[in-house]
Amino acid sequence: MFEPGRFGHFEVTAHVAEVKKCSCGHVTQASFPEGVDSHVQYGPVTQALAVYLCQYQLVPYKRASQFFMDIFGLEVSPGSICTFQEKAYNQLASTEQAIADALKVEPIAGADETGMRVAGALWWMHVLRTEKWTMYHLDPSRGHSAIESMGILLAFAGILVHDHYKAYFRYAALHALCNAHHLRELQGVVDRDCNHLAARLQRLLRLACHLSNGFRKIGMKAMPEVIYQRIASLFERTARRALAEEAEYMERVRQRLGRDKVKNTKAFNLFKRLVEFKDETLRFMTDLNIPFDNNGSERDIRNGKVKQKISGCIRSKKGAKWYCRIRSYVSSARKQGQNVFEALLIAMKNYCGHPLLGAE
């Protein structure tokens, strides 16, 4: 029978260890079940649900505590919920290493970063991901020191998809650039300057994306060479022409202002990048497994912004570590078709600390 105002109930289990005394005087006591190590404690289901609410549904600790009281009539303090997060963090250490090891040998991975507030300061949340694995890392730095502290890209030899953040070019991976960013930047040039060459570059990128999707659907691994060369040639000629016209415009501005030089326009920097990094921009055509954009990484990193909107900033460096490790496990488990709550329940019962995910 449910009590008024409540939709569930909780169970209390008492464990009794039998004690026997031998005729020789030796006393033997039975052992308690694994995981039972206190006189009074919450069970793994309660612990897993608390971690699920705070790390997956991004509910603040105090509201999670109210949830347990309102739904189950069970008093679970915010301090206890904090302890559950730390327990999950400790028991997922080997799983985090397994995720990192799996990402090191992936043929294609995406990377992204975004700002987050930690302990009142601006930190950077980094993500490295595939369709099967996700690794998060929070660091005060946005640059290469933070990337290297993740311990993956130094050993990664596949294709890295990103949005042209310069720090990624320090590593030996082949690079593929996010064309969703290029399309948005080109649209900005069109809106600001009515630049017909920027619009033409947009059309070329969209045509290449459409053709790549079509060839992928019929089982091809790469775009036919003749088509690739044609599009690449048109793309490079158009970008170089746009760059030259923008350089001429900047020279006219310089002469009109009577200065030695003027600041590069955004359009000039964009066209220069498309010329210099043409191969990285069009790499999705040479291997149809490479995505056209880096939207997968942006989707995976969006939860950090959602957490800030719902729960506010992460209040401590320790909490940042908890969030990244638990969220890496949750995201990877979900990508592999596991039920998130059941995956967290397994984690709370992982008393030996064995890896819960690994390469097949």
Side-chain angles (χ1 to χ4, degrees):
M1 181 177 68
F2 292 97
E3 296 184 20
R6 298 196 177 104
F7 305 97
H9 66 282
F10 64 92
E11 297 179 355
V12 178
T13 302
H15 298 276
V16 180
E18 190 172 1
V19 179
K20 294 292 186 179
K21 186 175 183 179
C22 181
S23 58
C24 68
H26 179 74
V27 177
T28 301
Q29 180 176 330
S31 59
F32 285 97
E34 192 172 23
V36 178
D37 48 19
S38 299
H39 292 292
V40 179
Q41 67 181 67
Y42 296 102
V45 173
T46 301
Q47 297 175 28
L49 183 55
V51 176
Y52 174 86
L53 289 171
C54 295
Q55 301 296 351
Y56 186 64
Q57 298 297 345
L58 309 176
V59 177
Y61 289 1
K62 187 174 181 180
R63 285 170 54 190
S65 176
Q66 293 172 346
F67 168 85
F68 281 103
M69 177 57 70
D70 294 342
I71 302 301
F72 301 108
L74 179 63
E75 186 174 351
V76 184
S77 70
S80 296
I81 293 175
C82 182
T83 301
F84 302 157
Q85 316 303 314
E86 184 173 21
K87 178 181 178 181
Y89 169 82
N90 292 331
Q91 297 189 170
L92 288 171
S94 60
T95 302
E96 183 182 51
Q97 186 58 51
I99 294 172
D101 292 341
L103 282 168
K104 289 176 184 177
V105 297
E106 284 288 313
I108 302 171
D112 200 6
E113 68 289 327
T114 190
M116 283 191 68
R117 305 297 296 182
V118 175
L122 175 62
W123 281 37
W124 292 91
M125 183 175 180
H126 297 258
V127 65
L128 191 67
R129 52 88 59 192
T130 66
E131 294 303 311
K132 188 176 179 181
W133 305 101
T134 310
M135 173 67 76
Y136 294 102
H137 175 69
L138 269 164
D139 199 279
S141 169
R142 186 187 182 189
H144 62 88
S145 62
I147 296 171
E148 290 176 6
S149 66
M150 292 181 72
I152 299 175
L153 286 186
L154 286 172
F156 181 75
I159 297 170
L160 186 65
V161 184
H162 56 89
D163 58 1
H164 205 277
Y165 182 45
K166 289 184 178 179
Y168 294 123
F169 287 99
R170 294 171 59 97
Y171 305 101
L174 284 175
H175 300 273
L177 300 182
C178 174
N179 285 299
H181 279 76
H182 291 152
L183 289 175
R184 287 196 293 269
E185 291 181 80
L186 288 167
Q187 187 61 48
V189 176
V190 172
D191 294 341
R192 184 172 57 251
D193 304 329
C194 297
N195 191 308
H196 69 285
L197 293 176
R200 186 176 298 177
L201 288 169
Q202 277 188 311
R203 291 195 294 271
L204 283 170
L205 284 175
R206 290 191 176 112
L207 172 63
C209 178
H210 175 73
L211 292 174
S212 296
N213 291 337
F215 287 124
R216 187 183 300 111
K217 286 180 180 178
I218 62 175
M220 295 185 66
K221 300 297 183 182
M223 187 175 291
E225 184 66 18
V226 63
I227 298 178
Y228 168 76
Q229 291 297 341
R230 178 60 175 165
I231 293 177
S233 176
L234 285 171
F235 185 87
E236 183 174 11
R237 291 205 306 269
T238 305
R240 287 187 181 279
R241 181 181 167 190
L243 180 63
E245 290 189 2
E246 195 67 22
E248 291 176 2
Y249 164 76
M250 290 167 54
E251 177 62 19
R252 291 195 300 271
V253 173
R254 185 194 68 79
Q255 292 177 1
R256 186 176 72 249
L257 298 176
R259 297 177 181 175
D260 292 336
K261 62 179 182 179
V262 293
K263 183 180 179 181
N264 290 346
T265 63
K266 292 183 178 179
F268 179 87
N269 290 333
L270 173 59
F271 297 142
K272 182 180 178 182
R273 189 194 324 149
L274 293 177
V275 170
E276 294 179 349
F277 294 91
K278 182 201 71 173
D279 292 341
E280 290 80 1
T281 300
L282 301 180
R283 182 153 279 141
F284 70 95
M285 299 168 64
T286 61
D287 182 350
L288 297 182
N289 290 316
I290 301 174
F292 174 77
D293 51 43
N294 196 30
N295 289 348
S297 298
E298 294 188 357
R299 284 192 296 270
D300 279 340
I301 209 168
R302 191 174 298 143
N303 69 82
K305 292 298 187 183
V306 175
K307 179 177 177 59
Q308 284 195 149
K309 290 181 179 179
I310 297 175
S311 303
C313 74
I314 298 176
R315 294 189 177 183
S316 67
K317 298 178 182 179
K318 185 166 61 174
K321 293 181 179 179
W322 296 353
Y323 175 76
C324 288
R325 180 177 292 177
I326 297 172
R327 191 76 198 197
S328 297
Y329 168 65
V330 165
S331 178
S332 300
R334 189 168 183 266
K335 287 179 178 181
Q336 296 177 30
Q338 296 188 30
N339 179 283
V340 173
F341 174 72
E342 291 178 357
L344 286 170
L345 182 58
I346 293 171
M348 302 312 295
K349 295 179 179 180
N350 187 28
Y351 307 116
C352 299
H354 295 311
L356 301 181
L357 297 172
E360 296 179 355

